[in-house]
Amino acid sequence: MPRAVYPGSFDPMTNGHLDIVAAAAELFDNVIVAVLNNPDKKSLFSVEERMELIRASVKAYTNVSVDSFSGLLADYTRLQTADVVVRGLRSVQDFEAEIPMAHMNRRLNAQLRTVFLPASLGVADISSSLVKQIAMHGGALTGLVPDDVARALKRKYHN
Ligand code: PNS
């Protein structure tokens, strides 16, 4: 099976993202988890911090690597000779937002297919933004993020 890129902001990595990584690692020979470096978007974690947290979370998967990219995903996938983009779907709203991106990415790179993977039932309610709100107010992060991410969130908000 082809090489796949799983792109995102990952600010920070959640158990929902990890669920998609696990599925993608089974389906594809190689999976690159690619963090978007977007200077226009205010993020809690730097790109390096996000990559480090992802590396710690995916170390069990020998066919998964972590990288970052700037600019267009269509160009980055070409550079990586990856023909598949993986995106997770939690809801109809996700689907509606993702479909135009999938079409546009294929317009920009005719080789590129987007494969949507449904979030597992136990993690379909998790998002990085909700996790950050919970962490900010000192709520329980159990089951929402990997342990390293929970510790990093506590350091950010409560140190
Ligand atoms: O985790 P996110 O924020 O939902 O990920 C969105 C992401 C990074 C996949 C998307 O914004 C993206 O691919 N950005 C790169 C710029 C780009 O290629 N834009 C055109 C998409 S049609």
Side-chain angles (χ1 to χ4, degrees):
M1 284 294 273
R3 163 185 268 228
V5 169
Y6 176 32
S9 302
F10 303 107
D11 186 38
M13 177 89 169
T14 68
N15 285 351
H17 294 129
L18 208 46
D19 172 59
I20 299 298
V21 170
E26 272 182 27
L27 290 169
F28 301 103
D29 288 338
N30 284 289
V31 179
I32 304 169
V33 182
V35 179
L36 175 64
N37 185 358
N38 182 359
D40 297 334
K41 196 170 162 185
K42 199 176 152 14
S43 57
L44 179 63
F45 292 98
S46 70
V47 171
E48 288 70 28
E49 288 172 325
R50 282 179 266 166
M51 289 174 68
E52 208 42 58
L53 290 171
I54 298 168
R55 269 193 207 104
S57 309
V58 306
K59 58 175 183 263
Y61 303 100
T62 52
N63 61 338
V64 176
S65 57
V66 183
D67 193 15
S68 66
F69 74 105
S70 306
L72 291 174
L73 179 61
D75 292 335
Y76 175 72
T77 49
R78 207 179 274 115
L79 201 71
Q80 292 293 339
T81 58
D83 289 344
V84 174
V85 166
V86 169
R87 292 288 284 168
L89 291 183
R90 295 163 299 184
S91 63
V92 179
Q93 286 74 22
D94 275 357
F95 180 76
E96 283 178 351
E98 292 293 333
I99 280 289
M101 277 204 284
H103 287 313
M104 190 54 77
N105 279 328
R106 191 162 167 79
R107 189 189 285 265
L108 295 171
N109 176 353
Q111 303 302 314
L112 204 53
R113 290 280 186 192
T114 299
V115 170
F116 295 119
L117 296 175
S120 296
L121 277 178
V123 295
D125 56 335
I126 303 176
S127 69
S128 295
S129 46
L130 287 180
V131 158
K132 282 183 278 193
Q133 281 181 37
I134 294 165
M136 187 195 303
H137 298 292
L141 294 168
T142 318
L144 301 181
V145 291
D147 290 346
D148 285 337
V149 174
R151 278 192 287 274
L153 281 164
K154 279 177 193 149
R155 278 198 301 275
K156 281 277 178 201
Y157 286 119
H158 303 291
N159 261 5

Coordinates of all heavy atoms in Angstrom, one line a residue, residues 97-153:
A97 N -16.4 20.0 6.1 CA -15.2 20.8 6.1 C -14.1 20.1 5.2 O -13.3 20.8 4.6 CB -14.7 21.1 7.5
E98 N -14.1 18.8 5.3 CA -12.9 18.1 4.7 C -13.1 17.9 3.2 O -12.1 17.8 2.5 CB -12.8 16.7 5.4 CG -12.3 16.8 6.8 CD -10.9 17.3 6.9 OE1 -10.1 17.1 6.0 OE2 -10.6 17.9 8.0
I99 N -14.4 17.7 2.7 CA -14.6 17.4 1.3 C -14.0 18.5 0.4 O -13.3 18.1 -0.6 CB -16.1 17.1 1.1 CG1 -16.4 15.7 1.5 CG2 -16.5 17.4 -0.4 CD1 -15.8 14.6 0.6
P100 N -14.3 19.8 0.6 CA -13.7 20.7 -0.3 C -12.1 20.7 -0.3 O -11.5 20.9 -1.3 CB -14.2 22.1 0.2 CG -15.3 21.8 1.2 CD -15.1 20.4 1.6
M101 N -11.6 20.4 0.9 CA -10.1 20.4 1.0 C -9.6 19.2 0.2 O -8.6 19.3 -0.5 CB -9.6 20.2 2.4 CG -9.6 21.5 3.2 SD -8.4 21.5 4.6 CE -9.4 20.6 5.8
A102 N -10.3 18.1 0.3 CA -9.8 16.9 -0.5 C -9.9 17.2 -2.0 O -9.0 16.8 -2.7 CB -10.7 15.7 -0.1
H103 N -11.0 17.8 -2.4 CA -11.1 18.1 -3.9 C -10.0 19.1 -4.3 O -9.4 18.9 -5.4 CB -12.5 18.7 -4.2 CG -13.6 17.6 -4.1 ND1 -13.5 16.4 -4.7 CD2 -14.8 17.6 -3.5 CE1 -14.6 15.7 -4.5 NE2 -15.4 16.4 -3.7
M104 N -9.8 20.1 -3.5 CA -8.8 21.1 -3.8 C -7.4 20.5 -3.9 O -6.6 20.8 -4.8 CB -8.9 22.3 -2.8 CG -8.1 23.5 -3.3 SD -8.6 24.1 -4.9 CE -10.1 24.9 -4.6
N105 N -7.1 19.7 -2.9 CA -5.8 19.1 -2.9 C -5.6 18.2 -4.1 O -4.5 18.2 -4.7 CB -5.6 18.2 -1.6 CG -5.2 19.1 -0.4 OD1 -4.6 20.1 -0.6 ND2 -5.7 18.7 0.8
R106 N -6.6 17.5 -4.6 CA -6.5 16.7 -5.8 C -6.4 17.6 -7.0 O -5.7 17.2 -8.0 CB -7.7 15.8 -5.9 CG -7.5 14.7 -7.0 CD -8.4 13.6 -6.8 NE -8.5 12.7 -7.9 CZ -7.6 11.8 -8.2 NH1 -6.5 11.6 -7.4 NH2 -7.7 11.0 -9.3
R107 N -7.0 18.7 -7.0 CA -6.9 19.7 -8.1 C -5.4 20.1 -8.2 O -4.9 20.3 -9.3 CB -7.8 20.9 -7.9 CG -8.0 21.8 -9.0 CD -8.7 23.0 -8.6 NE -10.1 22.8 -8.4 CZ -11.1 23.1 -9.4 NH1 -10.7 23.5 -10.5 NH2 -12.3 22.9 -9.1
L108 N -4.8 20.4 -7.0 CA -3.5 20.9 -7.0 C -2.4 19.8 -7.2 O -1.3 20.1 -7.7 CB -3.2 21.5 -5.6 CG -4.0 22.8 -5.3 CD1 -3.8 23.2 -3.8 CD2 -3.6 23.9 -6.2
N109 N -2.8 18.5 -6.9 CA -1.9 17.4 -7.1 C -2.7 16.2 -7.5 O -3.4 15.6 -6.7 CB -1.1 17.1 -5.8 CG -0.2 15.9 -5.9 OD1 -0.3 15.2 -6.9 ND2 0.5 15.7 -4.8
A110 N -2.7 16.0 -8.9 CA -3.7 15.0 -9.4 C -3.4 13.6 -8.9 O -4.3 12.7 -9.1 CB -3.5 15.0 -11.0
Q111 N -2.2 13.3 -8.4 CA -1.9 12.0 -7.8 C -2.6 11.7 -6.5 O -2.7 10.6 -6.0 CB -0.4 11.8 -7.6 CG 0.4 12.0 -8.9 CD 0.0 11.1 -10.0 OE1 -0.1 9.9 -9.8 NE2 -0.2 11.6 -11.2
L112 N -3.0 12.8 -5.9 CA -3.3 12.7 -4.4 C -4.8 12.3 -4.2 O -5.7 12.8 -4.7 CB -3.1 14.1 -3.8 CG -2.8 14.3 -2.4 CD1 -1.7 13.4 -1.9 CD2 -2.5 15.7 -2.0
R113 N -4.9 11.3 -3.3 CA -6.2 10.8 -2.8 C -6.3 11.1 -1.3 O -5.3 10.8 -0.6 CB -6.4 9.3 -3.1 CG -6.5 8.9 -4.5 CD -7.9 9.1 -5.0 NE -8.1 8.6 -6.3 CZ -9.1 8.9 -7.0 NH1 -10.1 9.6 -6.6 NH2 -9.3 8.4 -8.2
T114 N -7.5 11.6 -0.9 CA -7.7 11.7 0.6 C -8.5 10.5 1.0 O -9.5 10.2 0.5 CB -8.4 13.0 0.9 OG1 -7.6 14.1 0.4 CG2 -8.6 13.1 2.4
V115 N -8.0 9.8 2.1 CA -8.7 8.7 2.7 C -9.2 9.2 4.0 O -8.4 9.6 4.9 CB -7.7 7.5 2.8 CG1 -8.4 6.4 3.7 CG2 -7.3 7.0 1.5
F116 N -10.5 9.0 4.2 CA -11.1 9.4 5.5 C -11.3 8.2 6.4 O -11.8 7.2 6.0 CB -12.5 10.1 5.3 CG -12.4 11.4 4.5 CD1 -13.1 11.5 3.3 CD2 -11.7 12.4 5.0 CE1 -13.0 12.7 2.6 CE2 -11.7 13.6 4.3 CZ -12.3 13.8 3.1
L117 N -10.8 8.3 7.6 CA -11.0 7.3 8.6 C -11.9 7.7 9.7 O -11.7 8.8 10.3 CB -9.6 6.9 9.1 CG -8.6 6.3 8.1 CD1 -7.2 6.1 8.8 CD2 -9.1 5.0 7.5
P118 N -12.9 6.9 10.0 CA -13.8 7.4 11.0 C -13.2 7.2 12.4 O -12.5 6.3 12.7 CB -15.0 6.4 10.9 CG -14.5 5.2 10.3 CD -13.3 5.6 9.4
A119 N -13.4 8.2 13.3 CA -12.9 8.1 14.6 C -13.6 7.0 15.3 O -14.8 6.7 15.2 CB -13.2 9.5 15.4
S120 N -12.8 6.3 16.2 CA -13.4 5.2 17.0 C -14.4 5.9 18.0 O -14.3 7.0 18.4 CB -12.4 4.5 17.8 OG -11.5 3.8 16.9
L121 N -15.4 5.1 18.3 CA -16.5 5.6 19.1 C -16.1 6.3 20.4 O -16.5 7.4 20.8 CB -17.6 4.5 19.5 CG -18.6 4.3 18.4 CD1 -19.5 3.2 18.8 CD2 -19.4 5.6 18.1
G122 N -15.1 5.7 21.1 CA -14.6 6.2 22.4 C -13.9 7.5 22.3 O -13.6 8.2 23.3
V123 N -13.5 8.0 21.1 CA -12.7 9.2 21.0 C -13.3 10.2 20.1 O -12.6 11.3 19.8 CB -11.2 8.9 20.6 CG1 -10.5 8.0 21.6 CG2 -11.2 8.2 19.2
A124 N -14.5 10.0 19.6 CA -15.1 10.9 18.6 C -15.4 12.3 19.1 O -15.7 13.2 18.3 CB -16.3 10.2 18.0
D125 N -15.4 12.4 20.4 CA -15.7 13.7 21.0 C -14.5 14.5 21.4 O -14.6 15.7 21.9 CB -16.6 13.5 22.3 CG -15.9 12.6 23.3 OD1 -15.0 11.8 22.9 OD2 -16.1 12.8 24.5
I126 N -13.3 14.0 21.1 CA -12.1 14.7 21.5 C -11.6 15.6 20.4 O -11.5 15.3 19.3 CB -11.0 13.7 21.9 CG1 -11.5 12.7 22.9 CG2 -9.7 14.4 22.3 CD1 -10.5 11.6 23.2
S127 N -11.2 16.9 20.9 CA -10.6 17.8 19.9 C -9.5 18.5 20.7 O -9.5 18.6 21.9 CB -11.5 18.8 19.4 OG -12.0 19.7 20.4
S128 N -8.5 19.0 20.0 CA -7.4 19.7 20.7 C -7.9 20.9 21.4 O -7.4 21.3 22.5 CB -6.3 20.1 19.7 OG -5.7 19.0 19.1
S129 N -8.9 21.6 20.8 CA -9.3 22.9 21.4 C -10.1 22.6 22.7 O -9.9 23.3 23.7 CB -10.2 23.7 20.4 OG -11.1 22.9 19.8
L130 N -10.9 21.5 22.7 CA -11.6 21.2 24.0 C -10.6 20.7 25.0 O -10.7 21.1 26.2 CB -12.6 20.0 23.7 CG -13.9 20.4 23.0 CD1 -14.8 19.2 22.8 CD2 -14.6 21.6 23.7
V131 N -9.6 19.9 24.6 CA -8.6 19.5 25.6 C -7.9 20.7 26.2 O -7.6 20.7 27.4 CB -7.6 18.5 24.8 CG1 -6.3 18.5 25.5 CG2 -8.2 17.2 24.6
K132 N -7.6 21.7 25.4 CA -6.9 22.9 25.9 C -7.8 23.6 26.9 O -7.3 24.1 28.0 CB -6.5 23.8 24.8 CG -5.2 23.3 24.1 CD -4.7 24.2 23.0 CE -5.5 24.1 21.7 NZ -4.9 24.7 20.6
Q133 N -9.1 23.7 26.6 CA -10.0 24.4 27.6 C -10.0 23.6 28.9 O -10.0 24.2 30.0 CB -11.4 24.4 27.0 CG -11.7 25.5 26.0 CD -13.1 25.4 25.5 OE1 -14.0 25.1 26.3 NE2 -13.3 25.6 24.2
I134 N -10.1 22.3 28.8 CA -10.2 21.5 30.0 C -8.9 21.6 30.8 O -8.9 21.9 32.1 CB -10.4 20.0 29.7 CG1 -11.8 19.9 29.0 CG2 -10.3 19.1 30.9 CD1 -12.0 18.5 28.3
A135 N -7.7 21.6 30.1 CA -6.4 21.7 30.8 C -6.3 23.1 31.5 O -5.8 23.2 32.6 CB -5.3 21.5 29.8
M136 N -6.7 24.1 30.8 CA -6.6 25.5 31.3 C -7.4 25.6 32.6 O -6.9 26.3 33.5 CB -7.2 26.5 30.2 CG -7.0 27.9 30.6 SD -8.1 29.0 29.6 CE -7.6 28.5 27.9
H137 N -8.5 25.0 32.7 CA -9.3 25.1 33.9 C -9.0 24.0 34.9 O -9.8 23.8 35.9 CB -10.8 25.2 33.6 CG -11.1 26.4 32.7 ND1 -11.0 27.7 33.2 CD2 -11.4 26.5 31.4 CE1 -11.3 28.5 32.3 NE2 -11.5 27.9 31.1
G138 N -8.0 23.2 34.7 CA -7.6 22.2 35.7 C -8.4 20.9 35.7 O -8.4 20.2 36.7
G139 N -9.2 20.7 34.6 CA -10.1 19.5 34.5 C -9.3 18.2 34.2 O -8.1 18.3 33.9
A140 N -9.9 17.1 34.4 CA -9.2 15.8 34.2 C -9.0 15.5 32.7 O -10.0 15.6 31.9 CB -10.1 14.7 34.9
L141 N -7.8 15.1 32.4 CA -7.4 14.8 31.0 C -7.4 13.3 30.8 O -7.0 12.9 29.7 CB -6.1 15.5 30.7 CG -6.1 17.0 30.7 CD1 -4.7 17.6 30.6 CD2 -6.9 17.6 29.5
T142 N -7.8 12.6 31.8 CA -7.7 11.1 31.6 C -8.5 10.6 30.4 O -9.7 11.0 30.3 CB -8.3 10.4 32.9 OG1 -7.9 11.2 34.0 CG2 -7.9 9.0 33.0
G143 N -7.8 9.8 29.6 CA -8.5 9.2 28.4 C -8.5 10.2 27.2 O -9.0 9.8 26.1
L144 N -8.1 11.4 27.4 CA -8.2 12.4 26.3 C -6.9 12.5 25.5 O -7.0 12.8 24.3 CB -8.7 13.8 26.9 CG -10.0 13.8 27.6 CD1 -10.3 15.2 28.1 CD2 -11.1 13.3 26.7
V145 N -5.8 12.5 26.2 CA -4.5 12.7 25.6 C -3.5 11.7 26.2 O -3.7 11.2 27.3 CB -4.0 14.2 25.8 CG1 -4.8 15.2 25.1 CG2 -3.9 14.5 27.3
P146 N -2.4 11.4 25.4 CA -1.3 10.6 26.0 C -0.8 11.3 27.2 O -0.8 12.5 27.4 CB -0.3 10.6 24.8 CG -1.1 10.9 23.6 CD -2.2 11.8 24.0
D147 N -0.2 10.5 28.1 CA 0.4 11.0 29.4 C 1.4 12.2 29.2 O 1.3 13.1 29.9 CB 1.1 9.9 30.2 CG 0.0 8.9 30.7 OD1 -1.2 9.2 30.6 OD2 0.4 7.8 31.1
D148 N 2.3 12.0 28.2 CA 3.3 13.1 28.0 C 2.6 14.4 27.6 O 3.0 15.5 28.0 CB 4.2 12.7 26.8 CG 5.2 11.7 27.2 OD1 5.5 11.6 28.4 OD2 5.7 11.0 26.4
V149 N 1.5 14.3 26.9 CA 0.8 15.5 26.5 C 0.1 16.1 27.7 O 0.1 17.3 27.9 CB -0.2 15.2 25.3 CG1 -1.1 16.4 25.0 CG2 0.5 14.7 24.1
A150 N -0.5 15.2 28.5 CA -1.2 15.7 29.7 C -0.2 16.5 30.6 O -0.5 17.6 31.1 CB -1.8 14.6 30.5
R151 N 1.0 15.9 30.8 CA 2.0 16.6 31.6 C 2.5 17.9 30.9 O 2.6 19.0 31.6 CB 3.3 15.7 31.7 CG 3.1 14.7 32.8 CD 4.4 14.0 33.1 NE 4.8 13.1 32.1 CZ 4.4 11.8 32.0 NH1 3.7 11.3 32.9 NH2 4.8 11.0 31.0
A152 N 2.6 17.9 29.6 CA 3.0 19.2 28.9 C 1.9 20.2 29.0 O 2.3 21.4 29.2 CB 3.3 18.9 27.4
L153 N 0.7 19.8 29.0 CA -0.4 20.8 29.1 C -0.4 21.4 30.5 O -0.6 22.6 30.7 CB -1.8 20.1 28.8 CG -2.1 19.9 27.4 CD1 -3.3 18.9 27.2 CD2 -2.5 21.3 26.7

